[in-house]
Amino acid sequence: MYGQMNEEAISDIEEAIVKFNIDCQWTRAAHVVFSEDEKDFDTLRAESDAVNKSGLLASFHSSMSRDLPSSIKHNGGLKLEHQAHMNPVSYLASVAKYLSESGVPIFEGSRVHDVGFLSPHKITTGNGSTVSADKVVLATHIPIIDRTGHF
């Protein structure tokens, strides 16, 4: 399930980039983790197995010479296919501009302490202020709500 969700998220982002002509230096690429020391190979193999069980496509290689510059010393690594690179600031600035122009309110610099479970959701900030909304997008670096017990 995790792997499928990851792949769908990457495809959704790519679709939005094309649809809204977002310039964020988007490229499809593999993710590579490598090691200079063969003693790390068992860990990388185990990581490859775990990634594959999640539904993503990963492989262990004893040589990454096709994937890394020759100046990088390595003895092998893990390659995760179907990933992507982009400039996230450019992407989010474009998305925020589009949403704002579409009438969607965006609240920045507002530390949220709680979001009510039922719609309309009551959002409580650090200073006690509240906002109500039918739909809420929590775009944070660190999760603030743990309704499912995942963290």
Side-chain angles (χ1 to χ4, degrees), residues 32-119:
V32 176
V33 178
F34 63 92
S35 175
E36 294 180 358
D37 195 331
E38 289 184 26
K39 71 179 180 180
D40 296 326
F41 282 10
D42 288 342
T43 301
L44 289 172
R45 282 188 183 97
E47 186 74 16
S48 178
D49 291 343
V51 168
N52 286 318
K53 285 178 185 173
S54 79
L56 296 171
L57 178 60
S59 54
F60 175 81
H61 299 272
S62 58
S63 172
M64 303 295 292
S65 58
R66 289 181 288 162
D67 301 295
L68 295 171
S70 59
S71 60
I72 297 177
K73 180 184 172 200
H74 69 282
N75 282 319
L78 173 71
K79 185 175 182 180
L80 180 59
E81 300 289 351
H82 309 298
Q83 301 302 296
H85 299 273
M86 72 170 171
N87 180 325
V89 174
S90 297
Y91 174 78
L92 291 174
S94 294
V95 170
K97 181 181 177 198
Y98 173 79
L99 292 173
S100 182
E101 289 172 352
S102 299
V104 176
I106 298 174
F107 297 89
E108 296 180 85
S110 304
R111 188 176 189 110
V112 173
H113 282 253
D114 190 41
V115 177
F117 187 71
L118 300 175
S119 182

Side-chain angles (χ1 to χ4, degrees), residues 9 28 92 110 134 137:
R28 283 286 194 154
L92 291 174
S110 304
D134 292 327
V137 175

Side-chain angles (χ1 to χ4, degrees), residues 114-118 120-124 130-133:
D114 190 41
V115 177
F117 187 71
L118 300 175
H121 305 281
K122 180 180 173 184
I123 299 98
T124 306
T130 60
V131 176
S132 294

